[in-house]
Amino acid sequence: MKNLFKYLMITLGLLILSISINMFFGPHYIAAGGTSGLGILLEYLVQVDRSLIVLALNSVMLLLAIVYLGKQVFMKVLYGSLVLPLLLTYVPKIMFTENKILSIVLGSLIFSVGMSIVYSQNSSSGGTSIPPIILKKYFNIKLSTGLFFIDGIVILLNWSIFGFDQFLLALTSNILVLLTMNLFSKLSNKTVKNCWFSSC
């Protein structure tokens, strides 16, 4: 029963993430980081559905996880890595609001809620959370540094593909997500445990 509740909560969190991606970020081509951001960018460039792109990218990351991080970490990211692209397929791709500023604010808040729920269950949506763990394990690079570097690359790609305004919107969204998740953590009087980052 406990495991059922856990996976229901993870699924709820992933569903909320999918809503933020398909209804707020995707319609305005705002790629604020992660495989979902890369999915938005590549969908525009190669005209392939973002859910398929996210699935392909997550599959590569899962392979890296099992090879370099072991079975324990692999199992923690497996569910989210496969379910997120599935949900992206079925959540409607509609533009909730035509106002880009409002879209990134609401989208970032919704995204933060989804991620906080997933993290609270000691899980993740997989994707680009894997490389920073590898960098920490083998090169002792801080997780925050690795995440910042990878998300930074995705955010910069907005500039080269969509222009400077989209870059600023993506950067703003990324900052809002970080601030909101930190706020959620403080309100709950505990730090969200990211045990899936290690072998704990």
Side-chain angles (χ1 to χ4, degrees), residues 20-32 36-45 47-48 50 93 95 100 103-104 154-155 157-159 161-163 165-170:
S20 70
I21 294 164
N22 278 1
M23 296 185 181
F24 293 89
F25 297 141
H28 293 289
Y29 295 105
I30 299 167
S36 60
L38 285 171
I40 291 170
L41 292 170
L42 292 173
E43 181 181 55
Y44 174 81
L45 290 175
Q47 299 299 303
V48 174
R50 73 184 64 132
K93 294 180 180 179
M95 184 179 291
K100 286 187 177 183
S103 192
I104 66 163
V154 177
I155 292 170
L157 286 172
N158 283 270
W159 193 345
I161 296 172
F162 300 127
D165 286 350
Q166 292 297 107
F167 160 74
L168 291 178
L169 289 171

Side-chain angles (χ1 to χ4, degrees), residues 49-63:
D49 191 274
R50 73 184 64 132
S51 62
L52 295 176
I53 295 172
V54 172
L55 178 61
L57 292 172
N58 280 359
S59 298
V60 173
M61 296 303 167
L62 284 172
L63 181 61

Side-chain angles (χ1 to χ4, degrees), residues 141-157:
I141 296 174
K142 290 183 179 181
L143 288 172
S144 57
T145 302
L147 286 167
F148 177 80
F149 177 74
I150 291 171
D151 279 345
I153 292 174
V154 177
I155 292 170
L156 281 171
L157 286 172

Side-chain angles (χ1 to χ4, degrees), residues 131-147:
I133 312 173
I134 296 173
L135 291 173
K136 177 176 173 56
K137 180 177 181 179
Y138 291 96
F139 302 100
N140 200 30
I141 296 174
K142 290 183 179 181
L143 288 172
S144 57
T145 302
L147 286 167

Side-chain angles (χ1 to χ4, degrees), residues 8 39-40 63 69 72 83 86 103-104 107 109 115 136 150 154 165 167-168 174 177 188 191:
L8 285 174
I40 291 170
L63 181 61
L69 300 173
Q72 192 171 5
V83 172
L86 179 64
S103 192
I104 66 163
L109 292 175
M115 285 304 299
K136 177 176 173 56
I150 291 171
V154 177
D165 286 350
F167 160 74
L168 291 178
N174 190 269
V177 168
S188 64
T191 302

